[in-house]
Amino acid sequence: MIRSRRFQIFLVAFMGMYTILSAQTSSLSVEKIMQDPRWMGTFPENVNWDTQSKTIYFDYNPEGNPADSLYKISISNPDKIEKVNLAERKAMPGRYGTWNTAHTKKLYTEDGALWVYDLKNDRSKELIDLGGRIGNYTFLADESQIAFEYDNNAYVLDTKTGTLSKITNIREGKAPEDRAKKLSEKDQWLKDENLSLLQIVREREEQDSISKAYREMTADPDPYTFYAGDESVSGLQVSPKADFVTIMLMQRDRGESTNVPNYVDASGYTQDLRARSKVGEDNTENSLAIYNVKKDTVYKVDTSKLPGITDLPDYTSDYPDREWEEKERDVIISQAVFSDDGSKAIVNIRSKDNKDRWIALLNLEDGSLETLDRQRDEAWIAGPGIGWSFGGGTLGWLPDNKHIYFQSEASGYSHLYLLDVTTGTKKALTEGEYEVFDPFLSKDKKSWFLTTSEVDPGERHFYTMPVMGGKMEKLTSMPGNNEVSLSPDEKYMAIRHSYSNKPWELYLKKTGSKAEAQQLTSGQSEAFKSYTWRVPQNIRFKAEDGAMVPARLYVPDASVKNNAAIVFVHGAGYLQNAHKWWSSYFREYMFNNMLTDLGYTVIDIDYRASSGYGRDWRTGIYRHMGGKDLSDQVDGVKYLIEKYDIDPDKVGIYGGSYGGFITLMALFTEADTFKAGAALRSVTDWAHYNHGYTANILNEPTQDPIAYKRSSPIYFAEGLKGDLLIEHGMVDTNVHFQDVVRLTQRLIELGKDNWELAVYPVEDHSFVEPISWTDEYKRILKLFNESLLGIK
């Protein structure tokens, strides 16, 4: 640990001292709330149903074992929770798989073999075992036929006749003729000269040529072989009629990896852990090819004519002295999504700069594209259901084989859309200032099931809606978050529910019933229930630009209030925490309760960049991290000073990862607002973070250096005035320890002495050991007590 912080301790009057000391009581302690989370109880995870819609399965651990086990509850006896034995677990059909259209048969793999489950007979049957991984399995239009991928080739299995057909002949690497060595000019001259001088050598060469020509003339023609060349085959998709196969091709280049030294390896030697490359070093390329079975040929999908493919981003105008070439941008294209009858296919395409997303109709006969929808965002494309990189997100066909469905942020919030591919007509099925999550079609394809935040950004509820749009029917009623796992017959909902001060529990309710949901689990320990956990106030305050900022507020009793405030900053940037359900930051939630017991007023802000509030909120930090996301923290403090009588000289801030970054920016650039801060596992220079996250928000360092210099704390370290605590794991493979080492040197060179660094030799980005969590938060509490209250 490097220790060079100097805390000033002020004399206080007798009454002031009494107030401070009386605040230092709480039934909570850092040691208690930072211990192994199992002390809180056991709570259900990974909820799913059996195929017969009779039993709910979930991961659970009431026995306090080192890991969760599989448990079950039968809806015929919902009061009984049973552990699933090994024999029963092995007999269960795979959780993940592909159903046929009628939802009566399911394909899945187990131990490498392909199986089919029959719902009517409640039995599974092994179809084929090839001794290796079988993937991308699907029922064809004739459901007696099943297509799958094995060893980078597509196969069709006829379950009636038992015949297996290989329908592609794909090989990685170059074709033989491409591999043949071409002689240099010098070597060709030597060969020609040798043949002209030596008759026997010349005669043998001519005979070899004649023999080769004869063999080629009389041999049976080779089957058409597609050679992937320098690209690797990463996925095959067979059309419903098995007349086309799409081939995903990839050239991976993640750039130069960095190494993270592990100083406490069991070997006794320092070992380097291989970690990610830095932003700007992702040169991976992909393309999509189509194998036409009838024509026995392969051709690439052409993306060069996509509308706006050469558009320059707006930020280029900030660099008038640089020449910007309008050229075709690199794209990432997804696998094809075929209509049920196999007559049509669509693809999702993203520009690699992530400023465009195209959904296009794919002409399977020639690989050309017809754009159906283009979403452009000068910041970056994202949001619920939009997908990422190579696909994901909401995208598919209705049974009429002419309407596609997808999600888009075109309105400013992620909503569900239909588009008629024959007319180009687009229709929003949902609209308003809320977001849609995880929509899926009912078994009969006549309605939607979906989750939305329509009631409140801090709540999630489950709905149903007619397939072509109309009034949504709300199926859940408990305030908070309702994660619904629908039974296969769609008659029941298994609901994993939580509230602000109540961890997740499992409930059961009939779909569409007006009755209250029945609670099935009650996992809180007696120790956890012995404390009255606060329900934070969900508030909104006005920011300097007029925006109403959501936050959680913890207010102490007047008898212990010390007029000091703490701002907690959640991590991840794009994450929501000022909501009405159990926080993923449960340790910080408990710590905030303890701080409130001690007299602190605590605010937890869903600053600009947080999820749950639409596109403008999400992209509010574009090209300036530490801009609106930081000013929202400052405005939150102003709100507390005005409304809750907070002393402006008693304000602290803390957070991890992105929250650590904001803490550094707060101490460096808003020193008059924040007197102390604890920055945990924080990014100090965004040019040293990863590509996938950073390039969206700040573009690339070589292309947009302005964005990086105004967003990276290391450039502002000279502004440090208050007391700063930095804490970081030494084997952090996400935000590398190198980040704080470089900042440490910068602070030393600046002559700063009001800071300290605590290091954790065995911890990665997310701490694991309770002793590390405890040490970390004891130091944070000590920092606030000393710097803000003068308690030594």
Side-chain angles (χ1 to χ4, degrees):
M1 173 175 173
I2 299 171
R3 187 173 182 87
S4 55
R5 188 177 64 178
R6 200 169 51 225
F7 290 116
Q8 291 182 325
I9 301 179
F10 299 95
L11 295 176
V12 293
F14 174 77
M15 288 304 296
M17 177 64 79
Y18 174 79
T19 301
I20 291 171
L21 294 177
S22 66
Q24 300 304 302
T25 58
S26 173
S27 61
L28 298 176
S29 67
V30 173
E31 289 83 359
K32 180 176 181 177
I33 61 181
M34 296 299 163
Q35 64 182 301
D36 188 315
R38 284 179 292 184
W39 81 271
M40 302 182 332
T42 181
F43 309 105
E45 295 183 344
N46 301 319
V47 179
N48 64 98
W49 288 82
D50 75 319
T51 52
Q52 297 290 319
S53 302
K54 296 178 180 178
T55 306
I56 304 169
Y57 292 98
F58 53 98
D59 291 335
Y60 209 48
N61 193 2
E63 299 168 349
N65 293 320
D68 288 357
S69 299
L70 187 66
Y71 281 75
K72 67 179 181 179
I73 295 176
S74 170
I75 61 172
S76 63
N77 188 10
D79 295 327
K80 186 177 181 181
I81 302 175
E82 297 179 273
K83 189 172 184 177
V84 179
N85 61 47
L86 185 59
E88 181 181 354
R89 189 164 187 168
K90 285 187 173 181
M92 294 167 57
R95 178 179 177 184
Y96 303 102
T98 303
W99 289 92
N100 64 351
T101 303
H103 214 77
T104 57
K105 293 182 178 180
K106 177 184 178 181
L107 294 172
Y108 66 96
T109 55
E110 187 174 296
D111 297 329
L114 181 64
W115 293 70
V116 63
Y117 168 79
D118 190 302
L119 183 67
K120 182 178 180 181
N121 300 321
D122 193 21
R123 290 181 181 175
S124 292
K125 174 185 176 183
E126 183 179 304
L127 294 176
I128 192 169
D129 187 350
L130 297 174
R133 180 187 173 276
I134 292 174
N136 290 332
Y137 41 84
T138 185
F139 289 98
L140 296 181
D142 177 355
E143 292 188 349
S144 65
Q145 294 184 320
I146 294 164
F148 61 86
E149 177 187 349
Y150 175 74
D151 195 24
N152 288 340
N153 276 285
Y155 292 79
V156 173
L157 174 66
D158 191 315
T159 59
K160 288 183 178 178
T161 64
T163 57
L164 180 66
S165 304
K166 183 181 178 184
I167 61 173
T168 63
N169 193 27
I170 302 170
R171 296 183 184 178
E172 294 194 338
K174 295 182 179 180
E177 57 270 22
D178 295 332
R179 293 197 299 264
K181 182 179 179 182
K182 184 178 180 181
L183 294 177
S184 66
E185 183 180 359
K186 173 181 71 70
D187 290 343
Q188 187 65 53
W189 184 89
L190 288 174
K191 179 179 179 180
D192 293 342
E193 192 69 8
N194 203 38
L195 291 173
S196 67
L197 289 171
L198 304 174
Q199 180 178 346
I200 296 299
V201 175
R202 184 171 63 252
E203 290 174 353
R204 288 178 178 177
E205 179 81 1
E206 291 171 352
Q207 186 61 43
D208 286 344
S209 298
I210 294 170
S211 299
K212 181 180 179 183
Y214 177 77
R215 288 194 302 271
E216 291 176 350
M217 181 178 64
T218 57
D220 292 332
D222 290 334
Y224 174 78
T225 302
F226 173 68
Y227 289 91
D230 295 330
E231 299 172 299
S232 60
V233 177
S234 60
L236 303 176
Q237 197 77 24
V238 181
S239 67
K241 294 181 180 178
D243 48 356
F244 296 97
V245 181
T246 57
I247 308 165
M248 181 78 78
L249 299 168
M250 190 87 64
Q251 278 189 312
R252 297 187 185 277
D253 181 1
R254 298 290 187 184
E256 183 179 353
S257 296
T258 53
N259 292 322
V260 173
N262 178 11
Y263 293 100
V264 290
D265 185 76
S267 67
Y269 290 88
T270 300
Q271 301 289 337
D272 283 339
L273 303 177
R274 186 176 174 84
R276 57 165 175 79
S277 56
K278 298 183 190 296
V279 59
E281 291 194 39
D282 185 358
N283 300 310
T284 297
E285 297 179 2
N286 96 304
S287 60
L288 190 66
I290 301 171
Y291 172 57
N292 188 319
V293 176
K294 293 178 182 177
K295 296 180 180 179
D296 198 23
T297 189
V298 171
Y299 34 85
K300 290 280 189 80
V301 174
D302 180 15
T303 61
S304 64
K305 297 180 178 61
L306 290 169
I309 190 65
T310 61
D311 286 0
L312 288 171
D314 287 354
Y315 76 80
T316 55
S317 62
D318 279 358
Y319 301 92
D321 297 333
R322 180 171 178 175
E323 289 188 14
W324 296 90
E325 179 186 359
E326 288 193 7
K327 61 181 181 179
E328 183 183 335
R329 285 176 288 157
D330 292 335
V331 299
I332 299 171
I333 185 168
S334 73
Q335 264 294 5
V337 180
F338 294 98
S339 58
D340 288 345
D341 63 3
S343 63
K344 304 178 188 70
I346 52 174
V347 288
N348 179 80
I349 307 162
R350 303 284 285 259
S351 60
K352 281 196 71 177
D353 64 10
N354 218 12
K355 298 188 185 303
D356 275 285
R357 191 238 3 223
W358 299 268
I359 297 173
L361 192 64
L362 174 60
N363 187 328
L364 294 164
E365 293 292 343
D366 62 10
S368 61
L369 297 169
E370 177 189 341
T371 299
L372 301 172
D373 183 78
R374 178 192 179 192
Q375 184 183 334
R376 171 77 175 181
D377 197 317
E378 282 298 333
W380 73 97
I381 301 287
I386 309 299
W388 190 259
S389 190
F390 294 98
T394 303
L395 182 65
W397 291 86
L398 293 188
D400 63 7
N401 297 305
K402 74 171 188 176
H403 284 94
I404 64 169
Y405 58 84
F406 58 94
Q407 282 183 252
S408 171
E409 269 192 330
S411 70
Y413 292 83
S414 182
H415 283 290
L416 182 61
Y417 290 81
L418 288 183
L419 189 148
D420 187 330
V421 301
T422 62
T423 65
T425 304
K426 183 168 69 171
K427 176 185 179 182
L429 298 185
T430 58
E431 54 187 345
E433 293 185 358
Y434 64 91
E435 294 183 319
V436 170
F437 308 88
D438 306 316
F440 62 94
L441 288 166
S442 61
K443 278 176 59 179
D444 61 12
K445 307 296 175 72
K446 293 181 180 179
S447 58
W448 291 98
F449 291 105
L450 63 161
T451 298
T452 86
S453 58
E454 184 179 23
V455 169
D456 185 89
E459 290 196 36
R460 297 286 185 272
H461 287 282
F462 192 61
Y463 296 79
T464 186
M465 175 180 67
V467 70
M468 299 305 290
K471 184 178 179 180
M472 292 194 301
E473 179 187 357
K474 186 163 163 282
L475 301 176
T476 55
S477 58
M478 294 180 288
N481 195 343
N482 297 270
E483 294 182 357
V484 174
S485 177
L486 196 64
S487 63
D489 62 8
E490 300 176 353
K491 294 180 180 179
Y492 288 91
M493 300 182 297
I495 307 170
R496 202 172 80 104
H497 171 265
S498 74
Y499 191 58
S500 302
N501 64 339
K502 296 177 182 177
W504 299 93
E505 300 289 4
L506 186 59
Y507 292 75
L508 177 66
K509 185 179 180 182
K510 282 188 175 181
T511 307
S513 170
K514 302 301 181 184
E516 289 187 7
Q518 178 184 0
Q519 186 169 343
L520 303 181
T521 63
S522 183
Q524 293 183 30
S525 69
E526 291 303 317
F528 184 81
K529 288 189 290 186
S530 67
Y531 178 84
T532 303
W533 299 100
R534 290 173 174 80
V535 176
Q537 298 178 32
N538 285 87
I539 64 162
R540 286 182 180 252
F541 61 84
K542 182 176 285 190
E544 62 182 1
D545 62 357
M548 297 304 294
V549 182
R552 275 182 163 189
L553 182 64
Y554 303 76
V555 180
D557 291 340
S559 61
V560 298
K561 185 170 184 266
N562 57 27
N563 292 346
I566 304 298
V567 179
F568 167 63
V569 190
H570 70 69
Y574 189 61
L575 180 145
Q576 186 178 12
N577 205 47
H579 48 58
K580 298 179 183 178
W581 62 87
W582 186 247
S583 175
S584 58
Y585 286 90
F586 61 90
R587 291 183 180 88
E588 288 75 9
Y589 164 77
M590 293 188 286
F591 186 63
N592 291 341
N593 270 266
M594 189 182 80
L595 288 172
T596 310
D597 286 347
L598 300 178
Y600 292 97
T601 302
V602 182
I603 192 168
D604 171 3
I605 300 169
D606 270 346
Y607 50 89
R608 244 63 71 94
S610 298
S611 63
Y613 308 97
R615 181 265 170 197
D616 290 349
W617 207 264
R618 173 178 65 78
T619 61
I621 58 168
Y622 178 57
R623 299 189 68 217
H624 191 183
M625 299 156 92
K628 288 183 178 180
D629 46 359
L630 176 56
S631 66
D632 285 344
Q633 318 294 333
V634 174
D635 291 332
V637 172
K638 292 177 181 177
Y639 170 81
L640 295 183
I641 292 170
E642 179 183 348
K643 299 291 186 181
Y644 290 90
D645 196 28
I646 296 301
D647 184 338
D649 291 323
K650 294 181 179 180
V651 178
I653 185 170
Y654 83 101
S657 197
Y658 198 96
F661 151 72
I662 287 292
T663 298
L664 291 176
M665 290 295 272
L667 269 289
F668 294 168
T669 68
E670 294 288 347
D672 293 336
T673 301
F674 300 98
K675 307 306 175 185
L680 325 176
R681 44 198 171 273
S682 47
V683 176
T684 67
D685 187 343
W686 287 107
H688 289 254
Y689 197 52
N690 70 30
H691 184 87
Y693 179 84
T694 318
N696 282 338
I697 304 171
L698 301 180
N699 305 304
E700 294 188 17
T702 57
Q703 304 296 307
D704 194 3
I706 292 173
Y708 281 81
K709 287 184 178 179
R710 67 184 171 201
S711 300
S712 297
I714 200 166
Y715 291 99
F716 302 96
E718 68 275 6
L720 177 62
K721 295 179 183 177
D723 296 318
L724 172 62
L725 169 65
I726 304 170
E727 299 181 299
H728 213 109
M730 294 182 72
V731 287
D732 191 334
T733 56
N734 181 12
V735 180
H736 301 161
F737 185 61
Q738 180 194 33
D739 268 53
V740 294
V741 172
R742 294 176 69 242
L743 179 61
T744 294
Q745 181 60 30
R746 179 87 175 117
L747 291 169
I748 292 170
E749 292 177 6
L750 289 167
K752 301 293 182 179
D753 59 5
N754 50 334
W755 60 277
E756 66 178 10
L757 170 64
V759 300
Y760 298 87
V762 300
E763 297 293 356
D764 199 335
H765 194 62
S766 297
F767 283 18
V768 174
E769 302 299 332
I771 55 174
S772 300
W773 282 104
T774 299
D775 183 89
E776 183 178 44
Y777 276 80
K778 284 174 69 175
R779 293 176 187 277
I780 296 171
L781 181 60
K782 182 174 182 287
L783 167 73
F784 292 148
N785 283 341
E786 288 185 355
S787 296
L788 305 182
L789 303 183
I791 299 175
K792 187 67 173 178

